[in-house]
Amino acid sequence: MHLKPTRHLPTLVAAGCILVPVRSAAAKPGKEEEMMIRPAVFGTENVLNAVNKTPSVKRVVLTASTVSVWSDPHERGRGHAFTEADWNTSATPTSFPYFYAK
């Protein structure tokens, strides 16, 4: 998979467009890094680099799937209130690569 930044991204950010890099396809076994993790990181870095070159942007809000904070809904106990301190620590590049990419 070839990843390269789009030259139009800084223009879109400056114009106030909402940019949502999404990756949800299943990865072939052994290709998790190439098909899911690298594109997720690259897409986020690409948007943030464009934002850093755009002085009019005052705030960036990154959102993700709920799997970025858990992989098993029972791992933190019933009634757990999630906070910024919660992260998914059980996903790996080969075990739940979609969760890991988030």
Side-chain angles (χ1 to χ4, degrees), residues 29 39 54 62 66 75-76 86 102:
T54 311
L62 294 176
T66 58
E75 69 188 18
R76 291 191 174 81
D86 290 299
K102 296 298 154 190

Side-chain angles (χ1 to χ4, degrees), residues 20-98:
V20 184
V22 175
R23 181 73 178 165
S24 60
K28 295 177 185 173
K31 299 278 188 176
E32 297 87 358
E33 179 75 30
E34 176 186 345
M35 295 180 71
M36 296 194 88
I37 299 162
R38 260 195 4 231
V41 172
F42 181 82
T44 302
E45 287 176 341
N46 197 18
V47 170
L48 292 175
N49 286 333
V51 164
N52 282 336
K53 297 174 185 172
T54 311
S56 61
V57 175
K58 302 297 181 207
R59 181 183 312 172
V60 174
V61 177
L62 294 176
T63 61
S65 169
T66 58
V67 299
S68 63
V69 294
W70 64 274
S71 54
D72 175 355
H74 305 292
E75 69 188 18
R76 291 191 174 81
R78 185 180 180 105
H80 177 78
F82 288 91
T83 70
E84 294 86 357
D86 290 299
W87 292 94
N88 182 334
T89 59
S90 57
T92 69
T94 56
S95 174
F96 303 108
Y98 174 80

